[in-house]
Amino acid sequence: VHANRHLAHLALRTPPGSPAPEPPKKISLADFRIIKLIGKGGFGEVYLVEHIEKKKKIAPKVLDKRDVENEAKMQQILNERSVLVRSFKSPFLLSLSYCFQDDKFLYFAMKYCPGGDLRALLSAIGAFEEEEARLYMAEMILSVDALHRLGYIHRDLKPDNILILPMADGSVQAKVLDFGIA
């Protein structure tokens, strides 16, 4: 009903003789090319995929609907989706690009962070230089503050749940994820 009202409102603003705007295309797995599995968690698997038309890489978390049939797991999924939908307000929180489903799976498609997670980075280099440690710590504090401003407490903040996003200028940015028990 809300969507119909919105489209009707747009139709009122369409110049006479112009075709009415088409409703947004529904996203499905068919819109993506699967590249590889990049992670497994307690609730699902995360893949690297590329949107076929847009040529944009994203990382959908794929959740089997059979695994989320009990009330507690369903609440965690709903919590995570709620945070992901609202987290676009902070550059230090991973946010949702797309959310869709089919008969068997739920898909939470998020920004792809090719730098991996903080745990893997620390394992590879051993320790950060003091300036790097300050940068990551400041970004984590800002992410926790952003979550608190949204009304959430993370409850599972650890190096595995912090992704590294390389930036165009050569710097990196930390992105907090995994809001299931927030």
Side-chain angles (χ1 to χ4, degrees), residues 115-141:
D117 64 52
L118 196 58
R119 182 194 50 79
L121 180 60
L122 280 169
S123 294
I125 65 171
F128 290 128
E129 296 292 326
E130 187 174 340
E131 188 174 324
E132 286 177 302
R134 281 189 187 142
L135 172 71
Y136 285 120
M137 186 56 74
E139 290 181 349
M140 286 183 272
I141 290 168

Side-chain angles (χ1 to χ4, degrees), residues 49-66:
V49 304
E50 182 178 53
H51 192 281
I52 294 169
E53 288 180 19
K54 297 179 181 178
K55 303 291 186 215
K56 182 179 176 184
K57 291 180 181 165
I58 59 171
K61 184 178 199 176
V62 181
L63 307 161
D64 190 321
K65 287 182 177 181
R66 293 174 300 183

